[in-house]
Amino acid sequence: MEKHIYDEKNGLWYELQGDYYLPCLTLPEQQDVEIGVWGERRRRFLRQHHRVLYYNLMTTGTLFSHLAEINQQAEEMFFRMVNELSEKEGITEKLKAENQILWVQRMNNIRNRAMETVNSELIYA
């Protein structure tokens, strides 16, 4: 039996593995994109809860571009929300100079609320 055969009907090469011919498939090249913490959270969520979408994105070669886009949107949304909420609640540098503990408590509260919103609207949607 031949090690490799070509099927003209579908245009695929097949390789002999034991008693079976399996298609020689390769994933498309993916660009090296930096994905941050938000992108990693999105990847973990897709891999655990939406496997079909995860594998579709992976096999089409668009997974990393999707994760990079989500990461960028999440960062922008997070920083915009932190700035808006801190201005709305009157948390200023003056408060930071006068009472650092209170400033840290209120900023952590704002960051946690912004993180929950980004998670619910972008990462886990």
Side-chain angles (χ1 to χ4, degrees):
M1 295 176 85
E2 295 179 41
K3 183 76 173 158
H4 293 312
I5 61 171
Y6 181 74
D7 185 0
E8 293 184 18
K9 294 179 192 173
N10 59 16
L12 292 177
W13 281 94
Y14 290 85
E15 182 178 4
L16 184 63
Q17 298 284 330
D19 294 336
Y20 301 100
Y21 280 104
L22 299 177
C24 299
L25 301 175
T26 59
L27 292 175
E29 288 295 321
Q30 295 185 1
Q31 58 189 17
D32 285 336
V33 182
E34 190 71 30
I35 55 173
V37 65
W38 301 105
E40 286 294 332
R41 287 180 186 172
R42 177 71 173 171
R43 182 194 336 214
R44 188 177 332 117
F45 173 73
L46 290 176
R47 193 176 334 140
Q48 291 175 355
H49 300 287
H50 293 282
R51 288 189 177 137
V52 172
L53 177 59
Y54 176 77
Y55 289 118
N56 284 341
L57 289 171
M58 186 186 304
T59 56
T60 59
T62 58
L63 176 65
F64 288 109
S65 60
H66 170 75
L67 295 176
E69 182 180 332
I70 290 290
N71 188 66
Q72 181 182 6
Q73 290 175 3
E75 281 184 4
E76 291 171 0
M77 183 178 184
F78 176 76
F79 289 121
R80 185 181 67 246
M81 287 184 66
V82 168
N83 288 335
E84 288 174 0
L85 288 172
S86 62
E87 288 176 10
K88 183 179 177 183
E89 295 181 14
I91 300 173
T92 62
E93 291 296 318
K94 182 181 177 188
L95 176 63
K96 184 178 180 181
E98 292 173 358
N99 191 346
Q100 290 179 353
I101 302 287
L102 179 62
W103 181 85
V104 169
Q105 288 174 345
R106 294 179 74 186
M107 285 303 292
N108 282 343
N109 184 315
I110 288 172
R111 289 176 55 86
N112 289 337
R113 286 187 285 161
M115 190 177 297
E116 282 295 318
T117 304
V118 170
N119 282 337
S120 65
E121 291 183 9
L122 282 178
I123 306 302
Y124 304 132

